[in-house]
């Protein structure tokens, strides 16, 4: 049966409203949107704003709310306060984000100078929808003073910022390649003492909440982290045969950077700045670069349009005297709080590369890649969010939450959920990616790791609305839904009807769990009945005795389909040995879907075979020591998919599996209040992992010898862990005391939690433990 949908009125509101707090409706904004009369909101417009204010008493706290389309940099009294503020638009198709910044520590008694530089993209992209008008609103209200953007401010177009010529960045990117003409520079206009008498008065454009920026929504993620200007690891001078020379500068890793130089030059010379990604590894698309036209004498410049790669190329006219070259890394404000180590260096390197790839694909939103698209393809974000719970600090959770709210808030009027969003030039459905997001691995996994019930409550009805667009086939399963792009994975031999159906089942499984958590018993009952009927029907229709297969599908047996059947619970244990043979023979999944193959093999208990397959498939990617990140496909360029970028976080799913299955660390109760430790070392002799959870830091270390196994475990305050010891071990001690042998279990020492699929399980509370188990 088709699950029921309830709350139609709420569904309609969800489709057209935004679920974040809409602060522009609160009535306490007093500032005005402002610009300058000269500004025509052309693509790639840069604006300078200045305001001087006299403060009698310095406040302890001064929160300013700043909204722009698209980015801003803030200085107070000549000191930089914010490096690249603002978020790409938007929380939904019409509204805009605003930042909150406490500027109190930068203020002083007496005269204060506020300077803001705004970059208006002026074009749509796969991660931004342009409002169509450049402007800023700046609202700071304290008990001592008010600092409000209005016509008393100064504002001018920065004509030194221009657009570099062809090749232009591809249509997916809302950012332009910058050309800075230093001959048109107005100097360091951010300084206190700068004479701004020449600057025109600002023009008021409207109030908070007015079109085209509309409702203003609080920035849901931290301001970006500024790592400061740093020296490169090394520089290599390459003498050119023509009129230019090149200096190639090495970065410590693939990073989001803004390159800097200090030079002495004649006037009118052009310098080009780009990365190795731009030149060689561009995913078959044009990326962003920087250009600079020199003035006469000593000058310095930082290209504020960020780019990424492993190397930075400065292409300089002959005769240019280079005084200094540096770079500034910036990015999402989180830490590499998780870790993983094991006895096989290959998997250590894979985990490290996956973590680095994850971080470089985080900024305003999750990104498929930081160069070609910067787009929040939602299937990619499912894998990325899963990795973040094991690799990063809990500040990363906010980006996952933002992604999920945006995904639902951009729901089309016809109920379709699509990605990437935010986007101004894409609104097409990829059904399998949408299902992955709303279900077990997306929204439910977020809740399982965070216990954020409000989010699943807010988004629940929008998810239901989308699921009800799918049509039953009258056999207990679902009709194929191609959407606007019937994408199941890159590569060949995709059994699409089954991929489609299995992702639908996983979506329902996630929503079923949410219904239980939200107390929606009638929904949960309907979903449970649907899942029972679906599983029976699916197995009857598509299990051939040697694999799952659509009778009308003509390609080779699809390993992706077998993986989804296992991880969804559709395939029972009696099929595992047969499915293993498929995994050993058929290898069609892309790095994106290989995560689910890895997980399926671990769930089936074939950990040795799982590790062997993952190592084989990722061998050329991980062991390519020229790169610190993972590729989009199994190689670069023509060997990759979609052009083949060298930094695609969808390939890092193995990070999750290594921590979650090899070390066995996974949440059982939402928010890690109870978690499981069930190591599956396979061919490894040692593995350890740690991760930062909302319940605290958890760590587990497992060592295995021919005669026994040792588990070192740290359980945070106010949590419990279920420790799983294979039945093959006949004796187990915990902190030196016997807790198990074949004859008795001392219940006063530890709580015995029963047998589970070949494991003895023990429940322990907060503390540090050493479990030593022996075969005899």
């Amino acid at each position: 049966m088709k699950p029921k949908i309830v709350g139609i009125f709420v569904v309609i509101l969800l489709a057209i409203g935004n679920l974040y707090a809409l602060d522009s409706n609160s009535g306490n904004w007093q500032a005005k949107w402002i610009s300058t009369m000269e500004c025509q909101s052309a693509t790639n417009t840069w604006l300078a704003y200045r305001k001087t204010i006299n403060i009698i008493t310095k406040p302890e706290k001064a929160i300013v709310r700043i909204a722009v389309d698209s980015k801003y940099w803030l200085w107070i009294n000549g000191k930089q306060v914010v490096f690249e503020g603002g978020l790409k638009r938007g929380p939904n198709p019409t509204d805009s984000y605003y930042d909150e910044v406490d500027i109190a520590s930068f203020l002083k008694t007496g005269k204060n100078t506020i300077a803001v530089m705004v970059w208006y993209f002026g074009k749509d992209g796969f991660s931004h929808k342009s409002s169509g008008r450049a402007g800023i609103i700046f609202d700071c209200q304290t008990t001592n003073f008010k600092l409000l953007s209005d016509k008393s401010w100064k504002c001018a177009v920065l004509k030194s910022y221009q657009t570099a010529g062809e090749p232009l960045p591809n249509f997916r990117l809302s950012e332009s390649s910058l050309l800075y003409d230093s001959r048109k520079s107005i100097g360091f206009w951010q300084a206190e003492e700068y004479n701004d008498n020449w600057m025109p008065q600002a023009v008021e454009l409207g109030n908070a909440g007015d079109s085209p920026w509309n409702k203003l929504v609080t920035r849901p993620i931290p301001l970006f982290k500024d790592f400061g200007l740093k020296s490169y690891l090394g520089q290599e001078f390459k003498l050119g045969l023509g009129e230019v020379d090149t200096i190639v500068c090495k970065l410590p890793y693939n990073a989001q950077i803004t390159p800097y130089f200090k030079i002495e030059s004649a006037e009118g010379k052009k310098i080009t700045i780009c990365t190795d990604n731009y030149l060689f590894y561009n995913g078959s698309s044009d990326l962003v670069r920087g250009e600079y036209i020199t003035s006469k004498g000593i000058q310095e410049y930082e290209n504020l349009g960020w780019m990424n790669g492993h190397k930075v190329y400065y292409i300089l006219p002959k005769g240019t005297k280079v005084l200094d070259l540096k770079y500034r890394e910036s990015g999402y404000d989180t830490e590499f709080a998780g870790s993983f180590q094991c006895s096989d260096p290959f998997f250590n390197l894979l985990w490290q590369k996956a973590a680095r790839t994850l971080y470089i694909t985080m900024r305003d939103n999750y990104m498929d890649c930081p160069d070609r698209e910067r787009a929040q393809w939602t299937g990619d974000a499912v894998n990325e969010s899963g990795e973040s719970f094991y690799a990063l600090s809990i500040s990363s959770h906010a980006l996952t939450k933002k992604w999920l709210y945006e995904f639902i808030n951009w729901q089309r009027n016809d109920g379709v959920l699509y990605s990437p969003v935010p986007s101004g030039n894409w609104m097409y459905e990829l059904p399998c990616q949408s299902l992955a997001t709303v279900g077990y691995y997306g929204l439910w996994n977020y809740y399982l790791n965070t216990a954020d019930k409000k989010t699943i409550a807010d988004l629940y009805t929008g998810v239901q609305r989308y699921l009800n667009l799918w049509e039953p086939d009258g056999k207990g399963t679902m009709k194929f839904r191609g959407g606007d792009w019937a994408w199941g994975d890159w590569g060949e031999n995709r059994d699409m009807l089954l991929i489609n159906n299995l992702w639908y089942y996983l979506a329902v499984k996630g929503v079923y769990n949410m219904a239980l958590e939200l107390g929606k018993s009638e929904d949960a009952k309907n979903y449970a009945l649907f899942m029972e009927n679906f599983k029976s029907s699916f197995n009857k229709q598509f299990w051939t005795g040697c694999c799952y297969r659509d009778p009308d599908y003509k390609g080779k047996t699809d390993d992706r389909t077998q993986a989804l059947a296992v991880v969804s619970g559709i395939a029972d244990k009696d099929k595992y040995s047969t499915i293993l043979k498929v995994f050993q023979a058929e290898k069609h999944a892309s790095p994106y879907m290989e995560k689910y193959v890895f997980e399926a093999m671990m769930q089936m208990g074939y950990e040795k075979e799982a590790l062997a397959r993952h190592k084989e498939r990722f061998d050329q990617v991980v062991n390519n020591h020229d790169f610190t990140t993972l590729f989009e496909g199994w190689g670069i360029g023509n060997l990759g998919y979609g052009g083949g970028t060298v930094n695609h976080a969808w390939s890092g799913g193995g990070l999750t599996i290594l921590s979650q299955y090899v070390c066995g660390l996974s949440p059982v109760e939402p928010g890690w209040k109870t978690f499981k430790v069930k190591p599956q070392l396979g061919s490894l002799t040692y593995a350890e992992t740690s991760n930062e959870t909302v319940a605290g830091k958890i760590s587990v270390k497992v060592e295995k010898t021919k005669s026994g196994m040792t588990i070192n475990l740290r359980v945070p305050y106010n949590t419990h862990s279920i420790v799983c010891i294979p039945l093959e071990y006949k004796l187990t001690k915990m902190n030196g005391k016997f807790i198990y042998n074949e004859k008795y279990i001392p219940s006063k020492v530890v709580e015995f939690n029963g047998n589970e699929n070949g494991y003895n399980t023990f429940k322990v509370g907060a503390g540090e433990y050493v479990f030593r188990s022996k075969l005899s």
Side-chain angles (χ1 to χ4, degrees), residues 89-100:
R89 297 182 74 247
N92 57 50
T94 58
D95 299 332
S96 305
Y97 288 114
Y98 73 88
D99 293 353
E100 291 185 324

Side-chain angles (χ1 to χ4, degrees), residues 158-162 180-187 293 295:
L158 289 171
K159 297 180 181 179
S160 52
Y161 281 96
Q162 302 172 20
Y180 187 84
D181 189 340
S182 63
R183 298 170 299 181
K184 298 183 179 182
S185 170
I186 61 172
I293 306 298
S295 52

Side-chain angles (χ1 to χ4, degrees), residues 530-576:
F530 169 82
M531 291 166 66
E532 181 182 353
N533 292 337
F534 182 101
K535 179 175 180 177
S536 174
S537 175
F538 190 92
N539 277 289
K540 288 178 181 177
Q541 291 183 71
F542 304 121
W543 178 249
T544 68
C546 61
C547 65
Y548 285 101
R549 188 180 181 92
D550 174 12
D552 294 327
Y553 168 67
K554 304 303 180 184
K556 295 180 180 179
T557 299
D558 186 1
D559 49 348
R560 310 169 189 85
T561 298
Q562 319 309 310
L564 292 175
V566 172
V567 299
S568 64
I570 291 292
D572 291 323
K573 291 182 180 180
D574 62 336
K575 299 178 176 63
Y576 284 180

Side-chain angles (χ1 to χ4, degrees), residues 630-644:
L630 301 175
F631 309 154
E632 181 177 6
W634 301 115
I636 303 171
N638 293 333
L639 298 176
Y641 299 112

Side-chain angles (χ1 to χ4, degrees), residues 17 55 87 127 133 177 226 252 292 298 305 587 643 689 698 722:
I55 296 177
L87 288 175
S127 58
R133 193 161 196 182
S177 288
D226 176 4
Y292 179 89
I298 295 175
K587 297 171 184 176
T689 194
I698 300 172
I722 299 171

Side-chain angles (χ1 to χ4, degrees), residues 216-265:
L216 301 180
V217 177
T218 310
R219 179 189 184 115
I221 61 174
L223 290 169
F224 299 137
K225 186 174 183 178
D226 176 4
F227 291 79
L229 282 174
K230 296 181 180 180
S231 298
Y232 292 100
L233 291 187
Q235 300 179 15
E236 179 185 0
F237 180 82
K238 294 190 174 184
L239 182 66
L241 298 177
E243 298 180 353
V244 298
D245 297 322
T246 302
I247 300 178
V248 183
C249 300
K250 184 178 180 182
L251 294 164
Y253 42 74
N254 196 344
Q256 299 172 8
I257 61 103
T258 49
Y260 162 92
F261 63 73
K262 185 176 183 181
I263 60 168
E264 185 174 1
S265 173

Side-chain angles (χ1 to χ4, degrees), residues 182-444:
S182 63
R183 298 170 299 181
K184 298 183 179 182
S185 170
I186 61 172
F188 185 52
W189 57 270
Q190 300 92 333
E192 288 184 86
E193 64 276 9
Y194 183 81
N195 185 350
D196 61 10
N197 289 338
W198 68 272
M199 295 179 69
Q201 298 299 126
V203 175
E204 294 180 1
L205 303 177
N207 300 312
D210 284 355
S211 178
W213 309 280
N214 304 314
K215 297 174 182 177
L216 301 180
V217 177
T218 310
R219 179 189 184 115
I221 61 174
L223 290 169
F224 299 137
K225 186 174 183 178
D226 176 4
F227 291 79
L229 282 174
K230 296 181 180 180
S231 298
Y232 292 100
L233 291 187
Q235 300 179 15
E236 179 185 0
F237 180 82
K238 294 190 174 184
L239 182 66
L241 298 177
E243 298 180 353
V244 298
D245 297 322
T246 302
I247 300 178
V248 183
C249 300
K250 184 178 180 182
L251 294 164
Y253 42 74
N254 196 344
Q256 299 172 8
I257 61 103
T258 49
Y260 162 92
F261 63 73
K262 185 176 183 181
I263 60 168
E264 185 174 1
S265 173
E267 182 179 346
K269 304 295 184 178
K270 186 171 81 170
I271 296 171
T272 300
I273 315 170
C274 59
T275 67
D276 51 342
N277 280 28
Y278 177 90
L279 292 172
F280 310 116
Y281 315 117
N282 54 28
S284 301
S285 298
D286 291 316
L287 311 181
V288 295
R289 70 185 189 280
E291 294 182 352
Y292 179 89
I293 306 298
T294 62
S295 52
K296 183 179 180 180
I298 295 175
Q299 54 214 282
E300 56 186 330
Y301 174 69
E302 182 176 357
N303 187 84
L304 295 179
W306 69 270
M307 54 189 73
N308 79 285
H310 290 83
K311 296 178 181 179
V312 179
Y313 287 70
Y314 293 86
I315 304 170
L316 305 152
K318 289 184 181 297
T320 304
K321 185 177 181 180
V322 177
L323 303 177
D324 199 7
L325 298 176
K326 293 182 183 293
Y327 72 95
R328 183 193 308 271
E329 181 183 1
S330 62
Y332 191 88
D333 192 0
T334 192
E335 303 295 330
F336 290 102
S339 65
F340 174 84
Q341 287 288 319
C342 73
S343 55
D344 189 333
F346 175 88
F347 292 109
N348 297 336
L349 185 55
L350 184 149
W351 202 97
Q352 293 163 13
K353 283 193 171 187
R356 175 56 58 192
T357 313
L358 169 63
Y359 184 67
I360 203 173
T361 53
M362 299 169 65
R363 200 173 178 96
D364 298 62
N365 45 264
Y366 281 123
M367 299 177 278
D368 60 333
C369 55
D371 40 20
R372 185 184 68 208
E373 300 181 35
R374 302 182 177 179
Q376 194 165 243
W377 292 101
T378 199
D380 300 47
V382 170
N383 283 14
E384 290 169 298
S385 62
E387 296 163 39
S388 73
F389 294 122
Y390 287 100
L392 303 176
S393 61
I394 60 175
S395 63
S396 65
H397 297 180
L399 192 64
T400 298
K401 182 176 181 177
K402 176 179 180 285
W403 153 57
L404 292 167
Y405 270 96
E406 286 175 346
F407 186 63
I408 298 299
N409 287 336
W410 281 74
Q411 191 166 30
R412 287 183 349 203
N413 290 335
D414 60 3
V416 166
L417 292 170
Y418 65 98
S419 75
V421 294
S423 176
N425 53 357
W426 179 277
M427 57 180 302
Y428 306 113
E429 178 194 8
L430 281 69
C432 293
Q433 289 205 9
S434 295
L435 291 172
T437 302
V438 301
Y440 189 78
Y441 285 100
L443 183 53
W444 172 251

Side-chain angles (χ1 to χ4, degrees), residues 492-505:
E492 304 299 326
N493 300 301
R494 292 165 293 156
D495 195 342
M496 284 301 302
L497 177 64
L498 270 59
I499 292 174
N500 219 248
N501 266 266
L502 289 164
W503 276 122
Y504 188 86
Y505 182 89

